[in-house]
Amino acid sequence: MVTSTKSVTYTQFRYFVALARELSYRRAAQVLGISQPTLTSQINVLEKSLGISLFERSRSGTLLSPEGRALLPLAEDVLQSSIRFEEKARDIAGGNRTTYRLGVPPTLGPYLLPFILPQLHKRYAKLKFYVREAAPTQLVQGLFDGHFDIIISPGSHESSQLVASKLFIEPLKFVVPSDHALSGLRYIEPEQIHGETVLTLEEAHHFHHQVHEICMKIGAQVTRDYEGTSLDTLRQMVVMGMGVAFLPGLYVHSELHQPDELHVCELKDTPIERQHNLVWRNTAPGRVFFRELGNEIRRILSDTLGHAVRVDS
């Protein structure tokens, strides 16, 4: 029985769908960019308003209730309809819209965009981007919510609502202080990292989890005592001898201009890479142009960064 006639808000729809996807209050709050208590409070308000429990909560985790499973597709439809409404309104107001909201991760944007945006401007004189940086999980959520039109994001995107066009594969480089015992070697054996203190970024970054997976595979240990807030901070911690680290190839290509500070090498017979994709909603009015845009970005990358990354065909 419904205990209140108060309408469900757009924000409550967003929170419900995000929690249903993550099935974790902590992860959903991170994706939404809010505090966990705020999310908990809003879900409680929503459930009280509807008069039903949307989730089952236990010590083992969070699950959708039968009522929640029944309502989830409808909530997703509401969000998608709202996005399409806003997109159509912008198209009507602006004619052929040439300004798009582009999302990129902070571990990629500053080291990629300077190579592609000027070239895109030459090719499409009226094309403009509002660029915003966010963690990959927040980028994908922002795409679902309509806060972004397109994103460049690492990893796979398993959703029927999204289209991902592969752009390029970026290598991850292993860096040590210049006075480290491994300095001077072009390739090192994975077992040579055993016992080393491997530094990484904070948990909010996708890069953090990728480094963890790498270290688990090769038997290395990631320290949680010192986590960088940015790639620059991570580099400086390595320079000061606090540990070793993996850094994205484009960051190394763009920022490491003083080779005396750090030594860059690779793991022998162990290629470490990350795939980057151009991603958009499958209902986006600009989806035909986005495919063309992906082709143009790949062409630009082949001309400008073909020596630093492997461009998808």
Side-chain angles (χ1 to χ4, degrees):
M1 178 179 178
V2 177
T3 60
S4 171
T5 58
K6 185 177 180 181
S7 298
V8 179
T9 67
Y10 177 79
T11 297
Q12 288 173 329
F13 278 120
R14 284 185 61 223
Y15 290 1
F16 167 51
V17 171
L19 182 55
R21 287 174 178 156
E22 297 295 331
L23 293 179
S24 163
Y25 279 85
R26 179 181 61 82
R27 291 196 302 271
Q30 288 179 342
V31 166
L32 292 165
I34 62 174
S35 68
Q36 187 171 330
T38 296
L39 176 60
T40 301
S41 173
Q42 286 299 309
I43 292 297
N44 289 340
V45 169
L46 176 59
E47 290 180 321
K48 183 177 180 180
S49 174
L50 296 174
I52 58 176
S53 294
L54 299 172
F55 298 94
E56 297 178 13
R57 303 162 180 84
S58 68
R59 291 185 178 180
S60 60
T62 301
L63 297 173
L64 269 171
S65 69
E67 294 83 359
R69 285 195 300 272
L71 291 175
L72 178 59
L74 300 176
E76 291 175 328
D77 288 344
V78 170
L79 295 183
Q80 290 301 313
S81 295
S82 176
I83 291 168
R84 290 194 293 271
F85 178 87
E86 292 178 3
E87 289 175 337
K88 188 64 177 178
R90 286 196 299 268
D91 287 342
I92 294 172
N96 292 322
R97 181 163 56 99
T98 56
T99 300
Y100 295 104
R101 296 163 298 178
L102 170 65
V104 293
T107 59
L108 178 68
Y111 321 111
L112 172 69
L113 297 185
F115 291 94
I116 64 173
L117 290 187
Q119 296 299 317
L120 287 176
H121 184 64
K122 290 180 182 179
R123 174 70 173 81
Y124 307 100
K126 295 183 179 181
L127 178 65
K128 296 180 177 63
F129 290 110
Y130 286 122
V131 181
R132 181 180 175 186
E133 294 181 351
T137 53
Q138 293 175 325
L139 292 176
V140 173
Q141 185 64 42
L143 197 57
F144 279 122
D145 292 344
H147 297 157
F148 297 113
D149 298 306
I150 50 176
I151 62 173
I152 299 177
S153 180
S156 60
H157 304 280
E158 299 177 358
S159 171
S160 60
Q161 298 176 29
L162 300 180
V163 178
S165 176
K166 293 182 178 180
L167 293 179
F168 64 95
I169 295 173
E170 177 188 25
L172 299 184
K173 304 293 186 178
F174 186 66
V175 296
V176 299
S178 57
D179 58 354
H180 193 277
L182 297 176
S183 181
L185 299 177
R186 183 177 179 182
Y187 296 98
I188 62 173
E189 300 286 348
E191 54 266 24
Q192 290 179 279
I193 305 180
H194 291 184
E196 296 287 347
T197 300
V198 181
L199 305 171
T200 187
L201 294 177
E202 295 175 321
E203 187 177 0
H205 297 270
H206 175 269
F207 186 70
H208 167 98
H209 301 285
Q210 188 172 14
V211 170
H212 263 271
E213 291 177 4
I214 293 168
C215 290
M216 287 182 63
K217 289 180 181 178
I218 63 178
Q221 183 66 41
V222 177
T223 179
R224 298 299 301 271
D225 295 332
Y226 305 103
E227 293 182 337
T229 56
S230 68
L231 292 176
D232 283 338
T233 302
L234 189 60
R235 179 184 71 180
Q236 292 305 322
M237 289 196 293
V238 175
V239 170
M240 291 186 293
M242 298 178 67
V244 299
F246 291 93
L247 290 176
L250 285 181
Y251 176 83
V252 172
H253 174 267
S254 175
E255 302 298 314
L256 266 61
H257 304 305
Q258 294 179 287
D260 293 340
E261 290 184 350
L262 290 176
H263 175 70
V264 181
C265 54
E266 298 180 22
L267 299 189
K268 186 176 180 180
D269 300 324
T270 310
I272 300 173
E273 303 168 325
R274 58 178 185 170
Q275 171 76 54
H276 294 287
N277 308 304
L278 186 67
V279 189
W280 61 89
R281 294 180 298 278
N282 63 3
T283 57
R287 56 188 179 274
V288 174
F289 173 68
F290 294 158
R291 286 197 179 277
E292 178 185 334
L293 187 64
N295 292 333
E296 187 65 18
I297 291 175
R298 283 188 286 271
R299 184 193 66 77
I300 294 170
L301 291 173
S302 295
D303 293 341
T304 60
L305 289 171
H307 58 289
V309 300
R310 189 165 78 251
V311 181
D312 288 287
S313 57

